[in-house]
Amino acid sequence: MKDPEKSLDPQLWHACAGSMVQIPRVNSKVFYFPQGHAEHSLSFVDFSSSPQIPPLILCQVADVKFLADAETDEVYVKIMLIPLPNSELDLEGDALLTDGSNTVEKPASFAKTLTQSDANNGGGFSVPRYCAETIFPRLDYTADPPVQTVIAKDVHGDIWKFRHIYRGTPRRHLLTTGWSTFVNQKKLVAGDSIVFLRAENGELCVGIRRAKRENGSSVGSYGGFSTFLREDASNKMMRNGTGKVRPEAVLEAIALAAGGQPFEASFYPRASTPEFCVQATAVRAAMRTRWCSGMRFKMAFETEDSSRISWFMGTVSSVQFSDPFLWPNSPWRLLQVMWDEPDLLQNVKCVSPWLVELASNMPAIDLSPFSPPRKKLRIPDHLDFPLDGQFPMPSFSGNPLVPSSPLRCFSDSVPAGIQGARHAQYGLSLSDLHLNNKLQSGLFLPGLQRFDPCTRISDGIMMASHTNNKDNLSCLLTMGNSSQKEKSGNGKRNQFLLFGQLILTEQQLSSETVSEVITRKSSIDGISDKTKDSSDCSGSALENQSSPEKSLTAGFLWNRDYRTTELCMDTSHCKVFLESEDIGQTLDLSVLGSYEELYRKLANMFGVERSEMLGHVLYQDATSAVKQIGDEPFSAFMKTAKRLMIRMDSGNDGVGRQWLTTIQTAKSGLDGPSKRGPLGIFA
Amino acid sequence: MKDPEKSLDPQLWHACAGSMVQIPRVNSKVFYFPQGHAEHSLSFVDFSSSPQIPPLILCQVADVKFLADAETDEVYVKIMLIPLPNSELDLEGDALLTDGSNTVEKPASFAKTLTQSDANNGGGFSVPRYCAETIFPRLDYTADPPVQTVIAKDVHGDIWKFRHIYRGTPRRHLLTTGWSTFVNQKKLVAGDSIVFLRAENGELCVGIRRAKRENGSSVGSYGGFSTFLREDASNKMMRNGTGKVRPEAVLEAIALAAGGQPFEASFYPRASTPEFCVQATAVRAAMRTRWCSGMRFKMAFETEDSSRISWFMGTVSSVQFSDPFLWPNSPWRLLQVMWDEPDLLQNVKCVSPWLVELASNMPAIDLSPFSPPRKKLRIPDHLDFPLDGQFPMPSFSGNPLVPSSPLRCFSDSVPAGIQGARHAQYGLSLSDLHLNNKLQSGLFLPGLQRFDPCTRISDGIMMASHTNNKDNLSCLLTMGNSSQKEKSGNGKRNQFLLFGQLILTEQQLSSETVSEVITRKSSIDGISDKTKDSSDCSGSALENQSSPEKSLTAGFLWNRDYRTTELCMDTSHCKVFLESEDIGQTLDLSVLGSYEELYRKLANMFGVERSEMLGHVLYQDATSAVKQIGDEPFSAFMKTAKRLMIRMDSGNDGVGRQWLTTIQTAKSGLDGPSKRGPLGIFA
DNA sequence: TTGTAGGCGAGCTGCCGACAA
DNA sequence: TTGTCGGCAGCTCGCCTACAA
């Protein structure tokens, strides 16, 4: 109990850590990401004197200690890891073992975010009825009033007593005596959460989850680090609250890991940075996908009050190393993303592939304004692409338990977009993202800016989209409505039709074709160096699992084709995709001549009354600024609009459903998009 | 104010730091001691991967920031240091510059240690009259009752208001309203101190000095490190209170320093470790002394309540490198010492030369039982020493402002023992030492024991003193009475007489003679390697200031003769010294046959009545155990007694004067010490 | 069902002189 | 001169019901 290294009840630990957190089991295999570890330390880790470090290291989990900070009660884990030789990469058995952990039953627990009254006023706590009835000991309602003393153990094993009374008109459950002591000792404030949990042995446990405090001197950032420390007594709780991993500890761990020595790493699940020890099966599965820009995905986040999980839709804007200088070849935060709701997620600019779940089995349309900022990865603008539909598309194998077999086709029994749902286990909370509103401007130390490579990159994207705004506009509408998916997806078994056009899946293309096409096209254009550079990454579109690639650092095999894929998606021809749950609909604004026509078109597309839409259609321009439709001439709107958004359920204050409409400018050399419509490129 | 790097008022800073603390001025030259810096971090500093580091590095002070911890208000300095090339060792101008800082007037300030009533009871603070009348604003005594609001700024510039009232019978000054808020916010407890200071601009300032908390899991140790950290919320204040310097910061500073780069070092004056940036003049002056065992010195410590300074007397037991493996040739903690009051200072086992002040200008008698434990530094037992009195003695130049000139003699106008009083500025507090009572036993981690080399060494000494107790005893009496000094010191100008024997000062010996004697004697004894080893350290007894020695690491010159000196003192012939303030008198116990004779002798020597002594003569045996005279047969007493102590003023409870009597066993090959008396070796 | 406001009583905080060291 | 004690007044803490969302 007084031993700070004493593991606490894993169930209480998980209840405090939040529903998104998944800790690998002992003996399972994980990939350790030094880059993620450094990020988790929330401070500058100086690798300048370190040798080149593999971006990911396969390890066996030797031990997991579920711990809690003695001062703040913040939960964390200490994971003992043993680096494995590359030959141990066979994860078949491991996947099964790991999955077994999911079958452990969750104990009855309840979390409540403290209200002002809970935290400030006369020392009482309103117990939600559900909590009182399912978590607390049975109360004798025949007494008048019904009272009992609730005894709960905290993460340190310390015992807290609360007077639990059922009184008032109407009757309600309250904690009175003992509560304010608890609040004061634990330094709880409104917004913090309390977790009650009935352990397997029947004991009642109590844990706390502190709110991510939003104060001027601290910022949270999923895109790099969450807490910028300033020496100020006022944010002591913040300092103590998260991010205890010191840079030296990271360097030590990395040094040991790189040397093949066992090492220890602490992970604070509430620190708002992604897990840096990831189940090897999950990583391998994620990297089996050939990621490319334009792919639609969803990603799970904890809601702001940590009570639920929200899914957010997004589009891969580019696929590139987040830090090619320090961590070349690292899949960590490989995907640069654009969110359908960028306001909420504005600081999540790149994510790791295993955190997202592909939203569709269909090829994605290229978001052509988003050309990658780095010359190295770009294909020349004038490189034309085959118009026969035979271009490379990503392979999908979201579920690590289902090995992707060559030419395997999707069956109707596996709903698209549900595959790979396990990915959802890794994620972040929404409140972290809200914190990021303060992230902008000059709060970063110059020396720390290197931690936010994504910001820099997306700036580049913004620049590109400005300069690439040509006259040809096509508009893609996505709708948060899964019913339409059936319409297009349930037709022929191995084919997808979009607006009458046959869409081929990657499995319907041979890999040879892909690389040949690229190589041939490159040499035709006479820019052999650059294409050599890219063609040597093209490899095979379908991974040969029996002979894993061994050339990558740390012996990890994953699909190195993504660069090729990226090249492909960069060209303006690869721009059609079909969404799963949220069907994307493309709207070519250039065929419309006025707002009136736009409203009519939208009304037709979604079956909503024109009157319902008035004043509720918003759009984003290339700078991501959200504007109201009608504020400027239609011609100007048409040129700058990138995405449309129709707010429904206007009676409510914005909580209603939102349909998102993504408008995409086309920069292709197509000569008559307005005549052929958005899918004309397939003609 | 909110900038944690903002320097606070230096006067307030000093008031909080304590009277012993002296911070070097900007542009002055200091020696930076990496070893001391590591010690100051209070934790293990891993030098295993560091290259050999110079033990001291001459630096110029580029900047000094007087700071205070945002949480605890603990004051500390950040010193920016620029390493200097060895050629810049000329300190003449520097000494003047530095001394100028002493002329800055101290502002009116008052410190009070909080009583129980101040800290606990009804929120009031008893203001000592002196403080209220000299520090606080003038109070209008015509009012009834006289009240005012005292406004004071703390170290952060935060303003505190206190109701100051003069009331009660009898009248007294009290702080009421506002006081308990202050106590709570600053988390003050009884024993902590508050400092009120009237700044030069008239503003009232308030600072705090926290008591060194004595709790089970923390130990203080001047001899190594003070705080052994245990993860426990209860001693958080302790953890935050002192010792913020992290090992990595030390390593970084040392790396920069060794590379000649500017670097920064933080020093927490209340952390109970000695300053590791020491005025270069002070170090040079201290090292100009040829330290050897047996030398008597005094050293200043802060009293337990930090209000005053106490001087403690001690004897150098040996002179050796405190950590010859990690820090060979380092003068840091060069002196191993025995204290006259070992109970209070039991953990101060080795000190740096610049911290102590020689108690006499006279040569010291060797405490021969203390032979150095390390073979390397020892000279063979059978190496006989010249009996003509021409052996090396330390040179004295305690005051860096008074360059020691060759053959300079002591003048009557400079009282011996006052020279070098500036040394008193570096020191420690008594309360640190009291803490050390808990230091013993198994509180140390095995890995940390290397930090206490002195402990190991003094163990060795104890062993040696046991085995070396031979039959020949001589007894040296020292008396804490300066009047007797005159008796021997005011006679002939350049000579000292002790019991009729002429004592030659070092200046009266030529250095050539010294080294020649040693070399000659060595080769006579036919052990040329070992003596070469020592003779190459003998150098010149009088330092040649115009041509500094350059062979030492970091180009520092100091008297490397101490090894030779040590060798000299190890032999049983060098055993006469005369103390300054506390005149040493040698008493040969072997000439006495009974306690009766002893009493008679002592009565004669000090002019005290025999009856006054009865029951008040204590002695220490070789194990330093203090015993009462008469408890064992005189023959046994005579063999083991090392030091006699006569307690006078018996009516008082031990606060009275003490006369110390050091008994020295002689292990020399003298054939008739009893016939020649203690000074017979000069015959 | 549960968050907040206000009543109100108990207990604690903190100011006071008395007394003593 | 100043540390500590007990008295006591006022105020805050915290339990409660009422009311509203």
Side-chain angles (χ1 to χ4, degrees):
Chain A
M1 175 184 305
K2 289 301 163 209
D3 177 9
E5 287 285 282
K6 165 119 187 262
S7 235
L8 57 104
D9 175 29
Q11 296 185 324
L12 177 58
W13 190 95
H14 272 98
C16 295
S19 52
M20 301 283 298
V21 178
Q22 218 191 19
I23 300 301
R25 297 186 90 198
V26 171
N27 289 327
S28 68
K29 290 172 186 167
V30 297
F31 279 110
Y32 165 70
F33 290 89
Q35 191 179 1
H37 198 182
E39 195 174 283
H40 188 63
S41 85
L42 306 178
S43 51
F44 175 75
V45 179
D46 185 10
F47 290 104
S48 61
S49 56
S50 301
Q52 185 69 36
I53 302 152
L56 71 175
I57 297 166
L58 182 66
C59 296
Q60 182 145 32
V61 178
D63 190 28
V64 172
K65 282 191 219 131
F66 293 101
L67 304 170
D69 184 275
E71 282 177 47
T72 65
D73 284 17
E74 186 192 5
V75 290
Y76 65 102
V77 270
K78 267 194 183 169
I79 305 181
M80 177 65 81
L81 295 167
I82 301 173
L84 292 177
N86 304 339
S87 58
E88 308 240 359
L89 203 52
D90 177 25
L91 308 172
E92 293 300 329
D94 192 58
L96 282 166
L97 189 96
T98 310
D99 247 47
S101 72
N102 289 344
T103 64
V104 173
E105 263 184 57
K106 275 192 180 173
S109 78
F110 189 88
K112 185 195 171 186
T113 301
L114 268 54
T115 66
Q116 292 283 357
S117 298
D118 291 332
N120 303 334
N121 295 348
F125 173 74
S126 268
V127 186
R129 167 187 284 273
Y130 174 84
C131 177
E133 291 180 350
T134 62
I135 315 288
F136 286 4
R138 179 157 294 282
L139 187 61
D140 177 14
Y141 288 99
T142 64
D144 185 43
V147 267
Q148 68 176 347
T149 300
V150 169
I151 295 170
K153 261 190 190 172
D154 70 10
V155 287
H156 309 113
D158 292 338
I159 282 177
W160 298 88
K161 294 181 184 176
F162 305 104
R163 179 164 179 254
H164 169 207
I165 189 167
Y166 185 65
R167 61 167 170 77
T169 45
R171 290 274 179 268
R172 90 281 311 279
H173 293 273
L174 293 159
L175 295 186
T176 58
T177 311
W179 172 253
S180 73
T181 311
F182 183 80
V183 167
N184 290 334
Q185 295 253 349
K186 300 293 191 188
K187 295 184 172 59
L188 298 176
V189 297
D192 292 342
S193 299
I194 185 168
V195 178
F196 286 108
L197 171 137
R198 178 156 291 284
E200 277 170 344
N201 60 7
E203 273 184 343
L204 190 66
C205 297
V206 59
I208 55 182
R209 286 207 285 247
R210 297 192 190 273
K212 314 272 181 345
R213 277 156 184 62
E214 180 167 14
N215 77 36
S217 61
S218 298
V219 292
S221 165
Y222 181 56
F225 61 103
S226 334
T227 312
F228 170 50
L229 307 178
R230 205 187 111 202
E231 280 304 320
D232 185 343
S234 72
N235 59 1
K236 178 170 160 289
M237 187 61 74
M238 189 71 184
R239 282 201 289 136
N240 290 341
T242 60
K244 292 241 175 165
V245 176
R246 297 207 316 218
E248 309 83 43
V250 176
L251 286 171
E252 190 190 334
I254 291 175
L256 288 169
Q261 299 297 311
F263 64 103
E264 207 170 48
S266 291
F267 176 72
Y268 290 79
R270 313 277 318 150
S272 314
T273 67
E275 287 153 35
F276 54 84
C277 296
V278 188
Q279 283 298 353
T281 49
V283 175
R284 196 182 61 166
M287 294 323 297
R288 213 177 279 148
T289 294
R290 185 172 288 104
W291 296 97
C292 49
S293 54
M295 279 178 163
R296 296 282 294 159
F297 64 87
K298 60 179 183 177
M299 181 166 161
F301 294 89
E302 238 183 21
T303 53
E304 190 162 3
D305 65 353
S306 307
S307 67
R308 285 163 292 114
I309 289 175
S310 284
W311 290 87
F312 285 80
M313 302 294 303
T315 307
V316 174
S317 56
S318 78
V319 180
Q320 49 196 337
F321 303 129
S322 64
D323 188 342
F325 305 104
L326 209 47
W327 302 104
N329 299 315
S330 171
W332 183 263
R333 294 189 181 279
L334 183 69
L335 309 177
Q336 293 213 231
V337 299
M338 289 293 292
W339 298 98
D340 294 357
E341 287 151 287
D343 295 345
L344 279 174
L345 299 158
Q346 58 179 306
N347 288 294
V348 183
K349 282 171 180 150
C350 39
V351 299
S352 300
W354 48 92
L355 294 181
V356 307
E357 179 183 344
L358 276 172
S360 161
N361 295 319
M362 297 309 296
I365 197 166
D366 180 31
L367 304 177
S368 60
F370 302 92
S371 56
R374 279 192 223 101
K375 277 290 176 207
K376 226 182 177 180
L377 297 181
R378 286 196 65 180
I379 205 149
D381 282 342
H382 55 278
L383 176 65
D384 229 332
F385 236 73
L387 300 180
D388 56 1
Q390 301 227 345
F391 52 86
M393 287 192 225
S395 74
F396 298 95
S397 175
N399 189 334
L401 297 178
V402 184
S404 64
S405 61
L407 299 176
R408 180 173 60 86
C409 298
F410 297 104
S411 85
D412 289 337
S413 63
V414 180
I418 301 300
Q419 289 196 7
R422 287 190 63 257
H423 290 314
Q425 302 288 354
Y426 308 90
L428 264 208
S429 90
L430 267 188
S431 60
D432 302 337
L433 308 169
H434 287 307
L435 285 177
N436 297 346
N437 296 332
K438 300 242 171 175
L439 189 86
Q440 323 298 30
S441 74
L443 276 177
F444 288 98
L445 285 176
L448 292 172
Q449 259 174 342
R450 54 179 306 210
F451 282 96
D452 200 12
C454 300
T455 305
R456 191 181 61 229
I457 287 167
S458 57
D459 285 353
I461 289 172
M462 287 308 173
M463 294 299 289
S465 62
H466 272 300
T467 55
N468 286 329
N469 260 339
K470 298 279 165 57
D471 299 65
N472 293 321
L473 293 174
S474 70
C475 177
L476 172 74
L477 290 169
T478 60
M479 188 164 174
N481 181 340
S482 59
S483 66
Q484 298 221 3
K485 178 183 61 189
E486 313 296 328
K487 212 195 285 179
S488 53
N490 62 1
K492 305 183 183 128
R493 206 186 146 102
N494 295 330
Q495 295 174 347
F496 295 89
L497 285 174
L498 180 61
F499 299 133
Q501 297 289 336
L502 175 68
I503 310 297
L504 297 174
T505 61
E506 186 199 35
Q507 284 73 17
Q508 292 161 316
L509 305 167
S510 87
S511 60
E512 286 76 14
T513 317
V514 175
S515 46
E516 275 171 13
V517 163
I518 293 174
T519 315
R520 177 164 31 84
K521 286 307 290 180
S522 315
S523 31
I524 286 170
D525 283 57
I527 22 170
S528 49
D529 328 9
K530 288 187 182 176
T531 46
K532 278 253 174 56
D533 191 41
S534 32
S535 64
D536 71 354
C537 299
S538 59
S540 111
L542 294 171
E543 198 174 295
N544 183 349
Q545 292 198 62
S546 59
S547 66
E549 214 173 321
K550 291 202 175 64
S551 58
L552 200 67
T553 11
F556 178 59
L557 79 161
W558 55 287
N559 190 339
R560 296 211 306 174
D561 286 350
Y562 68 88
R563 277 207 267 170
T564 308
T565 321
E566 177 69 14
L567 287 173
C568 153
M569 298 317 285
D570 276 346
T571 67
S572 44
H573 296 255
C574 321
K575 48 177 63 164
V576 175
F577 71 96
L578 176 67
E579 278 219 30
S580 60
E581 275 181 41
D582 308 326
I583 291 194
Q585 296 206 19
T586 305
L587 174 64
D588 189 346
L589 287 183
S590 62
V591 301
L592 304 172
S594 67
Y595 285 118
E596 199 54 42
E597 284 187 53
L598 173 65
Y599 282 129
R600 211 176 306 136
K601 183 83 183 173
L602 292 175
N604 276 340
M605 289 172 88
F606 298 105
V608 281
E609 287 295 317
R610 189 187 162 286
S611 60
E612 279 187 80
M613 279 187 286
L614 275 176
H616 296 112
V617 181
L618 308 174
Y619 75 99
Q620 274 190 313
D621 66 9
T623 66
S624 289
V626 176
K627 297 177 178 174
Q628 179 103 339
I629 266 189
D631 287 354
E632 50 190 334
F634 185 79
S635 59
F637 156 76
M638 184 185 79
K639 282 176 188 159
T640 62
K642 234 176 57 188
R643 172 179 293 180
L644 282 185
M645 189 161 48
I646 311 170
R647 280 192 192 277
M648 301 303 288
D649 198 3
S650 57
N652 215 321
D653 46 4
V655 193
R657 282 194 304 169
Q658 288 183 0
W659 283 321
L660 299 176
T661 306
T662 302
I663 299 174
Q664 205 45 67
T665 53
K667 60 155 189 171
S668 74
L670 300 173
D671 47 13
S674 59
K675 286 158 200 153
R676 290 184 290 176
L679 296 173
I681 54 169
F682 287 105
Chain B
M1 176 183 306
K2 289 302 161 205
D3 177 9
E5 288 287 279
K6 168 125 186 256
S7 237
L8 56 104
D9 176 29
Q11 297 185 325
L12 177 58
W13 190 95
H14 273 99
C16 295
S19 52
M20 300 283 297
V21 177
Q22 218 190 20
I23 301 301
R25 297 186 90 195
V26 171
N27 289 328
S28 68
K29 289 173 187 168
V30 297
F31 280 109
Y32 166 70
F33 291 88
Q35 190 178 2
H37 199 184
E39 195 175 286
H40 187 63
S41 86
L42 306 178
S43 50
F44 175 76
V45 179
D46 184 10
F47 290 106
S48 60
S49 56
S50 301
Q52 185 68 37
I53 303 151
L56 72 175
I57 296 167
L58 182 68
C59 296
Q60 182 145 32
V61 177
D63 190 27
V64 173
K65 283 189 218 133
F66 294 100
L67 304 171
D69 184 275
E71 282 177 46
T72 65
D73 284 19
E74 185 190 6
V75 291
Y76 65 103
V77 269
K78 266 194 184 171
I79 305 181
M80 176 65 82
L81 294 167
I82 301 173
L84 292 177
N86 304 338
S87 57
E88 308 241 357
L89 202 54
D90 177 25
L91 307 172
E92 293 300 328
D94 191 58
L96 282 166
L97 188 96
T98 310
D99 246 48
S101 72
N102 289 344
T103 64
V104 172
E105 261 183 60
K106 275 194 182 173
S109 78
F110 189 88
K112 184 194 173 188
T113 301
L114 269 53
T115 65
Q116 292 284 357
S117 298
D118 292 332
N120 303 334
N121 295 350
F125 172 76
S126 267
V127 185
R129 168 187 283 273
Y130 175 84
C131 177
E133 290 180 349
T134 63
I135 316 288
F136 286 3
R138 180 157 294 283
L139 186 61
D140 176 15
Y141 290 97
T142 63
D144 186 41
V147 267
Q148 68 177 347
T149 300
V150 169
I151 295 169
K153 261 191 191 172
D154 70 10
V155 286
H156 310 114
D158 293 338
I159 282 177
W160 298 89
K161 294 180 183 175
F162 305 103
R163 179 165 177 256
H164 169 208
I165 189 168
Y166 184 64
R167 62 163 170 79
T169 44
R171 290 272 178 270
R172 92 280 312 280
H173 294 272
L174 294 159
L175 296 186
T176 60
T177 311
W179 172 252
S180 73
T181 311
F182 183 81
V183 167
N184 291 333
Q185 296 251 350
K186 299 292 192 190
K187 294 186 172 56
L188 297 176
V189 297
D192 292 342
S193 299
I194 184 167
V195 178
F196 287 106
L197 171 137
R198 177 156 293 284
E200 279 171 340
N201 59 8
E203 273 183 343
L204 189 65
C205 296
V206 60
I208 56 183
R209 286 207 285 246
R210 298 193 190 272
K212 314 269 181 347
R213 277 156 185 63
E214 181 168 12
N215 77 36
S217 60
S218 298
V219 293
S221 164
Y222 181 54
F225 62 104
S226 338
T227 312
F228 170 50
L229 307 178
R230 204 186 109 202
E231 278 306 319
D232 184 344
S234 71
N235 59 2
K236 180 169 160 289
M237 186 62 77
M238 190 72 184
R239 282 200 287 138
N240 290 342
T242 60
K244 292 240 177 166
V245 176
R246 297 208 314 221
E248 309 82 45
V250 176
L251 286 171
E252 188 190 335
I254 292 176
L256 288 169
Q261 299 297 310
F263 64 102
E264 208 170 49
S266 290
F267 176 71
Y268 290 79
R270 314 265 335 139
S272 313
T273 67
E275 286 153 37
F276 54 85
C277 296
V278 188
Q279 283 297 354
T281 48
V283 176
R284 195 181 63 163
M287 297 320 298
R288 213 177 280 149
T289 294
R290 186 172 287 104
W291 296 98
C292 49
S293 54
M295 278 177 163
R296 297 281 295 158
F297 65 87
K298 61 179 182 177
M299 179 165 162
F301 295 88
E302 237 183 23
T303 52
E304 190 162 4
D305 65 353
S306 307
S307 67
R308 284 163 292 113
I309 288 175
S310 283
W311 290 87
F312 286 80
M313 302 293 302
T315 308
V316 174
S317 56
S318 79
V319 180
Q320 48 197 335
F321 303 130
S322 65
D323 188 342
F325 305 103
L326 208 48
W327 302 106
N329 298 316
S330 172
W332 183 263
R333 293 191 182 280
L334 183 68
L335 309 177
Q336 293 212 231
V337 298
M338 291 292 293
W339 298 99
D340 294 356
E341 287 150 286
D343 296 344
L344 277 174
L345 299 158
Q346 58 179 305
N347 289 293
V348 183
K349 283 170 179 150
C350 40
V351 299
S352 301
W354 47 90
L355 294 181
V356 306
E357 179 184 342
L358 275 170
S360 161
N361 296 318
M362 297 308 296
I365 195 165
D366 179 32
L367 305 176
S368 60
F370 304 93
S371 58
R374 278 192 225 101
K375 280 289 177 207
K376 222 180 176 181
L377 296 181
R378 288 195 65 183
I379 204 149
D381 282 342
H382 55 279
L383 176 66
D384 230 332
F385 236 74
L387 299 179
D388 55 1
Q390 302 223 348
F391 53 88
M393 287 191 225
S395 72
F396 297 94
S397 175
N399 191 334
L401 296 178
V402 184
S404 64
S405 59
L407 299 176
R408 180 174 57 88
C409 300
F410 297 106
S411 86
D412 289 340
S413 61
V414 180
I418 301 301
Q419 287 195 9
R422 284 190 64 258
H423 290 313
Q425 304 288 355
Y426 309 91
L428 265 207
S429 90
L430 267 189
S431 59
D432 302 336
L433 308 168
H434 288 307
L435 285 177
N436 296 346
N437 296 330
K438 299 241 174 177
L439 189 87
Q440 323 298 29
S441 73
L443 276 175
F444 288 100
L445 286 177
L448 291 172
Q449 258 176 343
R450 54 179 307 207
F451 282 97
D452 200 13
C454 299
T455 305
R456 192 180 61 227
I457 287 166
S458 55
D459 285 353
I461 289 171
M462 289 307 173
M463 296 296 289
S465 61
H466 273 299
T467 55
N468 285 329
N469 261 339
K470 297 279 166 57
D471 298 61
N472 292 321
L473 292 173
S474 71
C475 178
L476 172 75
L477 289 168
T478 60
M479 189 163 173
N481 182 337
S482 57
S483 66
Q484 297 221 1
K485 178 183 61 191
E486 313 296 328
K487 212 195 286 178
S488 54
N490 64 359
K492 301 176 186 140
R493 206 188 146 104
N494 296 330
Q495 296 174 347
F496 294 90
L497 283 174
L498 180 61
F499 298 132
Q501 299 286 340
L502 175 67
I503 309 297
L504 297 174
T505 61
E506 186 198 34
Q507 284 74 13
Q508 291 163 316
L509 304 166
S510 88
S511 58
E512 286 76 14
T513 317
V514 176
S515 46
E516 274 172 13
V517 163
I518 293 174
T519 316
R520 178 162 33 85
K521 286 305 291 179
S522 317
S523 33
I524 287 173
D525 284 54
I527 22 169
S528 50
D529 334 6
K530 289 187 182 174
T531 46
K532 278 251 175 56
D533 191 42
S534 34
S535 65
D536 72 356
C537 300
S538 60
S540 105
L542 294 169
E543 199 172 292
N544 184 348
Q545 292 196 62
S546 57
S547 65
E549 210 172 324
K550 290 202 176 65
S551 58
L552 200 67
T553 10
F556 177 61
L557 79 161
W558 54 287
N559 190 337
R560 298 210 305 173
D561 285 353
Y562 67 89
R563 279 205 267 168
T564 308
T565 319
E566 177 71 12
L567 290 172
C568 154
M569 299 317 285
D570 276 348
T571 67
S572 44
H573 297 256
C574 321
K575 49 177 63 162
V576 175
F577 72 95
L578 177 66
E579 280 219 29
S580 62
E581 276 181 43
D582 309 324
I583 291 193
Q585 296 205 20
T586 303
L587 174 63
D588 190 347
L589 287 182
S590 61
V591 302
L592 304 172
S594 67
Y595 286 119
E596 200 51 43
E597 286 187 52
L598 173 65
Y599 283 130
R600 210 176 308 134
K601 183 83 183 174
L602 291 174
N604 277 339
M605 288 172 87
F606 299 106
V608 282
E609 286 296 316
R610 189 188 162 285
S611 60
E612 280 188 78
M613 278 188 286
L614 274 176
H616 296 112
V617 181
L618 306 175
Y619 75 98
Q620 274 190 317
D621 67 9
T623 65
S624 288
V626 176
K627 297 179 180 174
Q628 179 103 339
I629 267 189
D631 287 353
E632 51 190 334
F634 184 79
S635 58
F637 156 78
M638 184 185 78
K639 281 175 189 161
T640 62
K642 232 176 58 188
R643 172 179 294 180
L644 282 184
M645 190 160 45
I646 310 170
R647 280 191 192 279
M648 300 303 287
D649 200 2
S650 57
N652 216 319
D653 45 6
V655 194
R657 282 193 305 168
Q658 288 183 358
W659 284 320
L660 300 176
T661 307
T662 302
I663 298 173
Q664 205 45 64
T665 52
K667 59 157 190 171
S668 76
L670 299 172
D671 48 13
S674 59
K675 288 160 200 152
R676 290 185 290 175
L679 295 173
I681 54 170
F682 287 107

